[in-house]
Amino acid sequence: MSIFYDLTVSHFLVLAAALFAVGIAGVLLRRNALIVMMSIELMLNAANITVLAFSRGFAGNDEAAYQGQAFALIVIAIAAAEAAVGLAIIVTVFRTRRHSDIDRLTMLKD
Amino acid sequence: MSNLPISKCLMWLSASALALLVIVGVEPGIAFAATEHAETTANTFHNSKGAAFVFWAFAFASLGGSIFVITRSNMVTAVMGMVGTFFAIAGLYLMLYASFLAVMQVLVYAGAIMVLFVFVIMILNRPEDEPWAVQGVLGKGIAALGVLYLFKRLAGILWEVKDTHSLVVEKAKLNVEVVLNHADVALVQELQGLGIQLRDTARVCGESALAICRTYEFGTVEGVGYTLFSKYLFPFEAVSIVLLVAVVGAIAIARPPDDEEEADEAATKEAS
């Protein structure tokens, strides 16, 4: 079973695709805003795995070898900022509505 | 798990069986192409069985942890599953030779962001009435099928990717170029005596220059830091501004309005 023993860059990419699909399922299927935010973090991590795998598999012998890793670091920083602002919004919504159910937050739609 | 109903167990069993069918049976192209690809290519990441075992362990841990996260109705359990998932993903980063990113993953995600989530759960502290947006076994089955189809399409594209060269044999090296005076032969000879590799980089630095090629191991703090502070200095600084704005914005959004504060103060005064 060489597919199990010979690891290629595709193994990491397919695993990232699976994590991304699970994250999309969490965003679409759950109604709790906190779970939705955790799923978004999961999708960002899947994208990071993809970036790092491509960086590892295709990096040459120069500065471009680190483009993917620098990019992934920036993605992590942006994810931290997004989590802070998103959680603040959730707390504010909960304070006024006493729930964080995203299917019931339809004030702008109605 | 003792209170898990049998219908739920059956649903997940059938969903996983369907997943296997879709991935292996219905679409034999992926599986066959995969084995051919793995046999023909010599450019693999790690050729040892131990490395493969570690990869599959981290893969199952991260995937199982993520599925655990989106299926729990208890929020604290979900966050703990998320922490485990992030640790497994940090292990995958290590397998991709991104040791600095792995440390950052543990510090920022498993350390900071998940603690923030736990704090918010402690503040909210309210069980949800109906956690799922779709009701019934049929709706969840359709949703699982849709997710599996999405995964199949994504994986079908990504599985075709072939890496260009093996990085296990020869590690990628970052060339840090330090411009030297061309006439400084003694210094060059001294550096060569110290084992520092030199090369002529006239195409980069002009005709009157030599360069020291300092080699960094792939994924270390030195390598990432050099790239981040030289070529990507502007994005780095822009991220710091974004973080500052996010901190100020989070405080501005989350702090209670003034009238509510005054009302609270009045209430405490009355109580005392």
Side-chain angles (χ1 to χ4, degrees):
Chain A
M1 297 295 282
S2 60
I3 182 173
F4 288 112
Y5 292 137
D6 294 339
L7 296 180
T8 61
V9 68
S10 304
H11 284 80
F12 291 90
L13 295 177
V14 170
L15 175 69
L19 286 175
F20 192 84
V22 171
I24 282 187
V27 168
L28 292 181
L29 299 181
R30 291 302 296 261
R31 296 171 68 184
N32 194 320
L34 280 168
I35 298 272
V36 169
M37 280 206 58
M38 277 196 261
S39 303
I40 291 171
E41 304 288 336
L42 198 63
M43 288 157 70
L44 284 169
N45 267 283
N48 257 352
I49 290 178
T50 311
V51 167
L52 288 178
F54 274 118
S55 159
R56 181 66 191 159
F58 296 92
N61 200 12
D62 55 354
E63 273 187 46
Y66 290 102
Q67 275 183 359
Q69 302 205 356
F71 195 73
L73 196 64
I74 289 173
V75 168
I76 286 180
I78 297 293
E82 173 249 338
V85 175
L87 287 174
I89 290 173
I90 290 175
V91 167
T92 310
V93 166
F94 187 85
R95 191 177 286 141
T96 54
R97 300 296 186 85
R98 314 310 297 173
H99 67 80
S100 63
D101 187 345
I102 54 174
D103 280 4
R104 283 161 63 197
L105 296 174
T106 56
M107 194 184 75
L108 283 177
K109 194 172 76 176
D110 296 335
Chain B
M1 298 293 279
S2 58
N3 55 353
L4 198 63
I6 296 190
S7 62
K8 242 183 199 175
C9 291
L10 279 179
M11 193 190 79
W12 284 113
L13 271 180
S14 55
S16 40
L18 255 175
L20 278 178
L21 268 183
V22 167
I23 294 167
V24 180
V26 181
E27 185 72 16
I30 291 180
F32 280 122
T35 41
E36 282 174 14
H37 170 61
E39 278 166 4
T40 52
T41 181
N43 299 328
T44 52
F45 270 93
H46 313 272
N47 290 315
S48 74
K49 291 185 176 181
F53 174 76
V54 171
F55 169 76
W56 289 109
F58 280 138
F60 279 115
S62 58
L63 204 53
S66 57
I67 292 173
F68 185 85
V69 166
I70 68 162
T71 50
R72 294 304 100 179
S73 58
N74 186 351
M75 290 296 301
V76 179
T77 320
V79 168
M80 289 308 135
M82 202 72 195
V83 171
T85 308
F86 283 151
F87 270 100
I89 289 174
L92 287 170
Y93 288 177
L94 274 183
M95 293 203 70
L96 291 167
Y97 288 82
S99 51
F100 178 56
L101 262 295
V103 172
M104 280 298 115
Q105 171 87 2
V106 171
L107 282 182
V108 174
Y109 269 112
I113 295 182
M114 284 301 114
V115 169
L116 202 60
F117 272 93
V118 170
F119 272 133
V120 171
I121 290 166
M122 296 299 166
I123 292 171
L124 302 190
N125 195 20
R126 179 193 164 94
E128 42 189 341
D129 309 323
E130 174 53 53
W132 291 92
V134 289
Q135 269 89 29
V137 177
L138 183 66
K140 285 176 188 171
I142 290 173
L145 273 183
V147 168
L148 282 176
Y149 182 69
L150 172 74
F151 166 67
K152 189 178 89 70
R153 294 300 295 268
L154 279 176
I157 295 168
L158 289 174
W159 190 254
E160 297 300 317
V161 171
K162 293 180 173 59
D163 34 351
T164 51
H165 63 284
S166 171
L167 292 170
V168 174
V169 181
E170 184 184 3
K171 287 194 170 184
K173 288 161 183 169
L174 178 66
N175 299 326
V176 177
E177 282 155 0
V178 179
V179 179
L180 283 178
N181 192 355
H182 187 60
D184 201 351
V185 183
L187 178 59
V188 169
Q189 282 175 348
E190 187 185 345
L191 288 172
Q192 277 171 339
L194 287 171
I196 295 173
Q197 183 189 2
L198 294 176
R199 69 168 188 181
D200 196 352
T201 56
R203 62 182 172 80
V204 179
C205 313
E207 55 185 9
S208 66
L210 284 174
I212 302 173
C213 294
R214 191 178 298 160
T215 58
Y216 290 139
E217 293 220 352
F218 193 78
T220 53
V221 183
E222 289 105 334
V224 180
Y226 179 79
T227 309
L228 210 55
F229 284 113
S230 62
K231 196 174 179 182
Y232 296 100
L233 187 62
F234 179 71
F236 184 77
E237 296 295 334
V239 158
S240 70
I241 299 292
V242 167
L243 278 172
L244 179 67
V245 171
V247 167
V248 174
I251 293 172
I253 291 170
R255 84 186 266 277
D258 291 338
D259 51 345
E260 191 179 315
E261 264 181 359
E262 286 164 8
D264 286 346
E265 284 171 8
T268 49
K269 268 180 190 171
E270 276 177 15
S272 63

